[in-house]
Amino acid sequence: MVEDRVAGLPERLSRADLILACMPLLFAGGYALGTAAFDAWPAATAVAALAGCLPMVDGLFRNPPRVE
């Protein structure tokens, strides 16, 4: 029932919420992949930065925020 929901929680996540949740996860995954592939922290950090930037670019340029 609706009355059982905790006050202030949205019914579903917005696109911005998903982007903010994906950025650190992709960064961590990119760092792990870069470490496994290159075995050097500068290359792993570069891969992680590129992976973490993908949702940010999508949220800013491909699907920019709109005022509703």
Side-chain angles (χ1 to χ4, degrees):
M1 295 178 63
V2 176
E3 294 82 28
D4 294 337
R5 289 186 54 226
V6 176
L9 291 178
E11 289 188 24
R12 65 183 192 101
L13 293 174
S14 69
R15 184 177 187 87
D17 294 331
L18 292 174
I19 288 171
L20 289 174
C22 286
M23 287 175 68
L25 296 174
L26 286 173
F27 187 89
Y31 192 83
L33 182 67
T35 301
F38 299 112
D39 198 28
W41 72 266
T45 304
V47 170
L50 288 174
C53 283
L54 293 176
M56 180 180 62
V57 168
D58 176 64
L60 289 175
F61 301 109
R62 187 165 182 247
N63 298 304
R66 288 181 244 130
V67 177
E68 295 179 16

